[in-house]
Amino acid sequence: ATSEIPVILLSAKSEEISKLLGFQLGAQDYVTKPFSVKELIARVGAALEHVRARAEEAQPSGPSYEAGKIAALKDNEVFFLDPSEIFFAAADRNNTYLHTNEEKYLVRRNLSYIETRLSDRFLRVHKSYIVNLGRVSKLSSPTRGSYLVELTDESRTRVPLSRIKVGLLRRALSGAGAAH
């Protein structure tokens, strides 16, 4: 969950071997004591800018990008998915998996980013799931206090539903004319 957070080591150890070990372990920067607060602030800013630049590079651009579609990976190939093809999105740490009828695609972004790319035909039903309202077949409660959303894919996938989202989902489905 913290893999995208830059690490800056702040240490009294100024030997070259200590710095090399820190970088080998994944640190983006190494600051030795005594240090200037202004220098530390500048290094933090540079590390955050590096993370932002990497995130922008990961997004497709140029002529291969198709507007309105979401770029996702499968077997080291980039596919551009139309949101209507997506049944649900599931979060796994800092990655999101987009599920179509039979396939699963990886997006190396968090679920909140995906949520901003999807239309109002999608609803976040759980902290880790977003569903396509047009792909919902029913809402069930297998045990008291737990809820599941069943989808229309071939596997009849069931996605957990937060209790606080039950009313919102029911209103969204009745407005969308979907079965429930």
Side-chain angles (χ1 to χ4, degrees), residues 138-150 158-163 166 169-170 180:
K138 71 179 180 179
L139 168 62
S140 63
S141 181
T143 61
R144 184 177 175 157
S146 72
Y147 298 91
L148 294 173
V149 176
E150 187 174 300
R158 291 179 168 188
V159 173
L161 173 65
S162 296
R163 284 187 308 181
V166 172
L169 178 63
R170 284 184 176 147
H180 36 119

Side-chain angles (χ1 to χ4, degrees), residues 17-164:
I17 189 73
S18 296
K19 292 178 183 180
L20 291 175
L21 181 60
F23 288 123
Q24 286 176 346
L25 292 173
Q28 282 72 39
D29 206 343
Y30 193 103
V31 179
T32 58
K33 295 178 185 177
F35 62 92
S36 156
V37 172
K38 288 180 183 179
E39 177 187 4
L40 182 61
I41 290 171
R43 288 177 184 258
V44 168
L48 292 174
E49 178 61 27
H50 178 73
V51 168
R52 188 197 59 76
R54 275 196 351 226
E56 283 180 3
E57 287 172 9
Q59 292 307 304
S61 61
S64 65
Y65 176 71
E66 298 181 36
K69 296 192 175 188
I70 299 175
L73 298 169
K74 182 170 180 6
D75 300 326
N76 292 322
E77 290 186 63
V78 177
F79 292 85
F80 296 96
L81 302 177
D82 187 296
S84 65
E85 299 173 49
I86 300 168
F87 280 70
F88 70 101
D92 180 24
R93 298 189 178 122
N94 283 337
N95 296 320
T96 299
Y97 291 94
L98 302 177
H99 296 260
T100 62
N101 191 37
E102 296 177 335
E103 303 290 335
K104 177 174 149 179
Y105 299 86
L106 170 67
V107 179
R108 295 193 178 181
R109 300 296 294 262
N110 63 29
L111 195 60
S112 294
Y113 171 80
I114 298 301
E115 191 172 24
T116 65
R117 301 291 317 272
L118 297 173
S119 71
D120 59 354
R121 299 283 307 134
F122 287 80
L123 179 68
R124 191 169 198 157
V125 295
H126 185 274
K127 67 180 179 179
S128 301
Y129 294 94
I130 298 172
V131 298
N132 182 336
L133 295 171
R135 304 292 187 170
V136 173
S137 66
K138 71 179 180 179
L139 168 62
S140 63
S141 181
T143 61
R144 184 177 175 157
S146 72
Y147 298 91
L148 294 173
V149 176
E150 187 174 300
L151 303 174
T152 59
D153 60 335
E154 290 184 12
S155 303
R156 308 301 284 177
T157 301
R158 291 179 168 188
V159 173
L161 173 65
S162 296
R163 284 187 308 181
I164 60 172

